[in-house]
Amino acid sequence: MLTTAMKVISMALFPKACLRLGRIALALLIASPVLLASSAFAADEVFTVANVPVDATAATAAQARERALQEGQRRAFQHLLQRLTPASERGRLPQPSDTVIADLVRDFEIAGEKTSTVRYIAALTVRFQPDDIRALLHQSGVPFSETPSKPVLVLPIVESSQGQVLSETTDWYAAWAKFVPGDGLVPFILPGNADEVAAVIPPNQASAANQRVLTDLANRSGAGSVLVAVAREHPGANGQVAADVSAVRFGAGVGEETFVAPFAPQAGDSTPTAALDRAVIATTGQIEESWKKSSLLRFDSSLRSIAARVPLGDMGALVAVERGLDGLAPIRRVDILRIGRDEAEIRLSFIGDEDQLKLLLAQRDLSLRSDGAGYVLTPAGKLPGAAR
């Protein structure tokens, strides 16, 4: 069970950032209650682990169920910590007792329940208490990230002597489809119609030379970046598939990231294309690690603050700003400094640096930029005064 001291730490470290815009916010609440209610960003998904299989046997069905639920909660807890922390920190992760883990659980759901007189089988979805998990990691001195990235649009391209192919019928595309969207902080998506994408951007042109076109494609898909994943397949042992993979990621604020590695069949592979599955897991894992490192909460840094103007001409824009700031991990406090006819001025108090803050705001579709007179905070793509 969490100690009182730990809960105090949790409250001190993670106050809920809340934007209050006086009469304007009240007017918005009256004018568009449905929009406000449905726009809140839910952090609960980050702290939820779904579809954890459990299978336990004991002297009685009741004992088997109790054991399965206990084991399932521990496995969900371990999976959650791996989701939030970099691989370099795995050796320092806390190992609480089953009783403490049970106290960290907010609630859980059971699906596919099957029982016999001595056996219990099911799948659990476990929701953890966010503040308690944060406090546990912080008290253990383990850095972590909890801000989801915008999705990555994956273009799985197969290269052979006949050229390059982007098609939903390839084994490489199928390997990615098994993983999408993933359950980490970086969701992955595939093109809705690979043939249409290939017609607009031929696979042999999906390169840095067409980065602007690829970025536009990502924006239309609701993604923040594009991963051009090229697999050069060749026969492995016993008719299995091996591949040399070269994956390049493009996107605004991402720069360019490249991942290159060979993947060969291994003893015990259950399918001919198991090497392709490992290639997907390795590639997505590297992107996950890169994102965690760039979005780690920096508790060792001092609290900083900046003032930013928020244009008020567009009611939808103001709601988007309020929604985007709510619950954003590094922000400790939001204060209203001034409310004018055309704009409000707020002060953001945060941990970390301004570059990281801009990066994390961008995942909420918010843009923080300087216009020469100070900072301006708007929904991404909105220009101050564009909608009046």
Side-chain angles (χ1 to χ4, degrees):
M1 184 173 180
L2 285 179
T3 65
T4 301
M6 187 181 296
K7 290 185 179 292
V8 171
I9 291 173
S10 173
M11 293 173 64
L13 287 172
F14 302 95
K16 182 178 177 61
C18 185
L19 185 61
R20 293 289 181 264
L21 292 178
R23 64 181 187 277
I24 295 176
L26 180 59
L28 284 174
L29 184 62
I30 296 171
S32 54
V34 175
L35 179 59
L36 280 170
S38 63
S39 296
F41 186 91
D44 288 356
E45 293 182 10
V46 173
F47 293 89
T48 298
V49 180
N51 300 318
V52 180
V54 294
D55 186 346
T57 301
T60 67
Q63 291 175 349
R65 183 179 188 276
E66 182 179 359
R67 178 178 298 174
L69 295 182
Q70 189 176 74
E71 293 176 355
Q73 289 180 4
R74 173 166 287 279
R75 290 174 59 191
F77 171 77
Q78 293 169 341
H79 185 86
L80 174 63
L81 295 200
Q82 291 178 5
R83 175 189 294 170
L84 301 178
T85 60
S88 59
E89 299 294 331
R90 299 291 158 74
R92 301 173 56 213
L93 294 181
Q95 300 291 333
S97 67
D98 291 331
T99 301
V100 171
I101 291 176
D103 286 338
L104 296 170
V105 173
R106 190 182 74 189
D107 58 60
F108 61 88
E109 296 177 7
I110 301 174
E113 195 173 42
K114 298 178 182 178
T115 61
S116 71
T117 56
V118 295
R119 190 179 181 189
Y120 182 86
I121 300 173
L124 300 184
T125 293
V126 185
R127 283 176 283 270
F128 291 90
Q129 301 277 10
D131 283 349
D132 289 349
I133 294 293
R134 293 167 180 144
L136 178 65
L137 286 170
H138 181 69
Q139 189 179 64
S140 302
V142 178
F144 64 96
S145 171
E146 63 171 84
T147 303
S149 162
K150 295 192 74 172
V152 176
L153 175 65
V154 183
L155 304 183
I157 296 171
V158 175
E159 182 175 276
S160 67
S161 58
Q162 284 75 43
Q164 294 185 334
V165 175
L166 173 59
S167 172
E168 298 170 27
T169 63
T170 65
D171 290 334
W172 184 224
Y173 191 102
W176 279 95
K178 294 176 188 176
F179 185 86
V180 170
D183 68 347
L185 294 178
V186 183
F188 296 85
I189 59 176
L190 290 167
N193 189 315
D195 293 335
E196 288 183 4
V197 173
V200 175
I201 308 176
N204 59 358
Q205 296 180 23
S207 64
N210 279 327
Q211 185 170 350
R212 178 178 295 179
V213 179
L214 292 170
T215 300
D216 289 343
L217 177 63
N219 291 336
R220 292 198 300 272
S221 303
S225 59
V226 176
L227 180 70
V228 180
V230 180
R232 300 168 184 85
E233 299 178 8
H234 50 87
N238 302 320
Q240 294 179 306
V241 176
D244 297 321
V245 173
S246 175
V248 183
R249 183 184 179 198
F250 307 100
V254 174
E256 182 175 323
E257 298 176 341
T258 303
F259 313 94
V260 180
F263 294 88
Q266 296 179 357
D269 281 349
S270 58
T271 66
T273 58
L276 299 182
D277 295 343
R278 283 193 292 275
V280 170
I281 293 171
T283 304
T284 56
Q286 290 186 69
I287 293 175
E288 283 267 2
E289 284 300 299
S290 177
W291 171 248
K292 289 177 189 177
K293 290 176 182 177
S294 65
S295 60
L296 284 176
L297 293 175
R298 304 175 185 176
F299 295 108
D300 56 347
S301 63
S302 58
L303 192 67
R304 305 185 62 185
S305 66
I306 60 173
R309 305 191 314 277
V310 180
L312 301 180
D314 183 348
M315 182 172 67
L318 181 60
V319 173
V321 169
E322 182 174 12
R323 176 197 61 202
L325 291 177
D326 184 35
L328 190 63
I331 295 180
R332 304 271 68 86
R333 183 182 176 93
V334 180
D335 295 306
I336 305 301
L337 303 179
R338 174 177 58 86
I339 298 178
R341 185 169 189 173
D342 297 323
E343 66 180 19
E345 186 175 9
I346 64 175
R347 181 172 56 237
L348 301 177
S349 299
F350 61 97
I351 56 175
D353 57 39
E354 292 177 17
D355 288 339
Q356 185 190 57
L357 179 63
K358 290 177 181 178
L359 176 66
L360 300 186
L361 286 170
Q363 310 314 305
R364 301 285 188 88
D365 291 318
L366 294 181
S367 172
L368 179 67
R369 62 191 182 280
S370 175
D371 65 353
Y375 284 104
V376 180
L377 180 64
T378 65
K382 291 280 188 179
L383 296 177
R388 296 228 179 244

